[in-house]
Amino acid sequence: MAKYVGVLTAGGDTPGLNAALRGLGKSALGEYDLQLIGFYDGFRGLMNDRSVILDEQRLSGILTFGGTILGTSRDKPHRMPVGEKLLDMTDAMLEVYEKHHLDALVCIGGGGTQKNAYRLMQKGMNVITIPKTIDRDIAMTDTTIGFDTALGIATDAVDRLHSTAHSHHRIILVELMGHNTGWLALGAGVAGGADVILIPEIPYQPEVISEAILDRVRSGKRFSIVAISEGAITKKSSEELETLLKQKKDARDKAEKQTAVEKIEAWQNMQANKTISLAQELEELTGLESRVTILGYVQRGGIPSARDRLLATELGTAATSMIVKEKYGSMVAVRGEKMEAVPLEKVVDRRRTVPLEHSWIKAAKRVGTCLG
Ligand code: F6P
């Protein structure tokens, strides 16, 4: 049976990471007498062998803390910034894994971390992952640690913006996190009663939004709240991107491919400040004063919700069971009421986007919310 288990937290932090470390650690130590070694700052700490023994004392009193006691980073094992260069450091990580005689390595992280853990698995490490991200976009799991807390914070913001938008007869756009998926903006938008919800899965047209806002004005409502994912784009931009991606795919030689890549980068740069541009456009189209609130990192900060603590404790303790059963190369996933081991092959290079027929979308439409 396993004796030594390593653990790290990687990618953007989320509330509930410490609860997961505690769940994993307390069950590993208490039930199975495993020794738990934490690595600081994600894969970088594994590479540099910066570690700490996670004993009972270190795991106590952290359940309600936000962030992660281990620290985190977005460094990737195969493209690690070392000096001026990006180097493949997976072999160095394998050496540290072997030096500590680890039987397993638990990686707690989002979509990128699942892929990075998979790479370490291919190097021969016994890897188990736990899904966390406020974006809730990891494939093969119903939910992820951090989403519920972020949803509460984002909903509170949408609630609070109502009174000020109402008093000033303004349009207020609130930009929420979610580069590639709209779970957070959609959830907070529906829960907070936003009048318009814009998500990456549904490219929007400013004219459709302004019409919906003017309809509200005609019915006597002189303010509107727009909840927008940071990754939401216009229909026009989405079509442009599609053309550029096709050009890249069809490139006949290196030069053509390079040109297409440069055009895609230029397209990406054009996307900066798009919520502010949309606010200006809506002001022009409707004649109503418009303001923007970018909620940013506040969505990832602070005390985890009860639901996230519960989820993290379930996932952490389920990871211990997987180590004991030697179900390596898997992610502990939430599937209905159960925690299940899903092979990492089924998780990586996929993303859980909002299906257009999802019940939250249906509900939003049925209460008259404009989706752009
Ligand atoms: O992946 C979670 C997330 O919070 C996204 O919603 C957001 O787009 C991104 O991280 C921000 O990344 P960073 O912490 O690197 O600025």
Side-chain angles (χ1 to χ4, degrees):
M1 194 178 78
K3 285 199 181 74
Y4 298 100
V5 176
V7 61
L8 56 83
T9 51
D13 70 335
T14 66
L17 284 171
N18 290 322
L21 288 170
R22 174 182 173 272
L24 170 76
K26 287 209 170 194
S27 55
L29 265 60
E31 291 176 9
Y32 299 103
D33 208 19
L34 301 176
Q35 166 112 252
L36 193 64
I37 301 161
F39 292 94
Y40 288 115
D41 302 337
F43 295 100
R44 178 166 287 275
L46 179 62
M47 173 183 80
N48 292 331
D49 192 12
R50 286 192 295 116
S51 59
V52 56
I53 303 284
L54 293 177
D55 54 15
E56 172 63 35
Q57 211 182 342
R58 281 213 159 80
L59 294 166
S60 280
I62 61 170
L63 177 65
T64 60
F65 288 3
T68 157
I69 57 165
L70 288 179
T72 186
S73 73
R74 290 203 182 270
D75 293 320
K76 300 179 180 75
H78 69 300
R79 282 171 66 80
M80 183 68 69
V82 181
E84 300 283 286
K85 295 188 178 143
L86 286 178
L87 300 178
D88 182 348
M89 298 305 285
T90 45
D91 283 329
M93 292 180 198
L94 184 60
E95 270 177 38
V96 176
Y97 178 92
E98 284 170 350
K99 182 187 144 197
H100 285 278
H101 305 289
L102 295 183
D103 298 291
L105 176 71
V106 179
C107 302
I108 311 179
T113 302
Q114 308 301 321
K115 183 75 189 265
N116 291 328
Y118 182 64
R119 288 194 177 99
L120 297 186
M121 180 195 108
Q122 288 173 320
K123 277 275 164 188
M125 296 187 209
N126 292 330
V127 162
I128 283 174
T129 65
I130 296 179
K132 71 90 201 130
T133 163
I134 64 164
D135 294 353
R136 202 169 87 147
D137 61 352
I138 302 177
M140 302 298 290
T141 182
D142 294 353
T143 194
T144 53
I145 299 169
F147 175 72
D148 185 70
T149 310
L151 180 65
I153 296 167
T155 303
D156 183 52
V158 175
D159 286 350
R160 285 172 189 275
L161 290 170
H162 267 85
S163 60
T164 172
H166 180 265
S167 305
H168 284 269
H169 321 296
R170 283 174 172 160
I171 301 171
I172 296 191
L173 292 88
V174 52
E175 185 184 286
L176 302 169
M177 276 187 168
H179 261 306
N180 301 299
T181 57
W183 291 108
L184 193 53
L186 179 62
V190 173
D195 308 296
V196 180
I197 302 175
L198 306 174
I199 62 173
E201 290 85 346
I202 308 178
Y204 62 86
Q205 299 177 76
E207 300 73 21
V208 172
I209 304 168
S210 67
E211 247 336 284
I213 290 172
L214 287 173
D215 264 352
R216 281 174 55 77
V217 173
R218 287 189 278 270
S219 69
K221 294 169 183 165
R222 295 165 61 206
F223 76 97
S224 285
I225 302 288
V226 180
I228 175 168
S229 294
E230 58 188 337
I233 52 173
T234 60
K235 202 158 179 251
K236 192 164 160 254
S237 286
S238 141
E239 285 160 5
E240 281 164 8
L241 180 63
E242 224 168 275
T243 311
L244 295 176
L245 290 173
K246 190 169 179 316
Q247 279 173 12
K248 186 177 158 207
K249 194 167 159 250
D250 298 346
R252 281 165 303 179
D253 54 36
K254 256 188 165 180
E256 275 191 15
K257 192 163 186 174
Q258 183 56 25
T259 314
V261 168
E262 280 165 19
K263 282 188 188 165
I264 292 171
E265 278 167 8
W267 180 92
Q268 278 162 343
N269 292 337
M270 296 267 295
Q271 300 307 305
N273 300 326
K274 59 187 183 306
T275 302
I276 293 169
S277 310
L278 177 62
Q280 285 162 352
E281 202 171 347
L282 290 179
E283 190 161 295
E284 279 160 28
L285 289 168
T286 62
L288 290 176
E289 222 177 18
S290 301
R291 292 286 189 272
V292 172
T293 295
I294 297 178
L295 210 53
Y297 295 93
V298 78
Q299 293 160 98
R300 290 199 334 218
I303 299 170
S305 66
R307 194 181 276 261
D308 268 331
R309 290 181 216 173
L310 199 52
L311 174 67
T313 306
E314 280 188 284
L315 287 171
T317 53
T320 297
S321 309
M322 281 170 55
I323 295 165
V324 172
K325 291 181 193 149
E326 298 187 4
K327 284 194 179 170
Y328 300 130
S330 325
M331 176 180 80
V332 204
V334 184
R335 315 273 292 164
E337 289 292 304
K338 290 193 191 146
M339 305 287 135
E340 281 177 17
V342 175
L344 278 174
E345 290 92 339
K346 292 192 176 174
V347 178
V348 298
D349 295 328
R350 295 173 67 190
R351 186 175 282 135
R352 184 168 173 262
T353 52
V354 180
L356 297 186
E357 66 286 358
H358 193 271
S359 57
W360 290 1
I361 292 199
K362 283 188 191 153
K365 284 184 182 163
R366 293 184 68 186
V367 295
T369 311
C370 168
L371 296 174

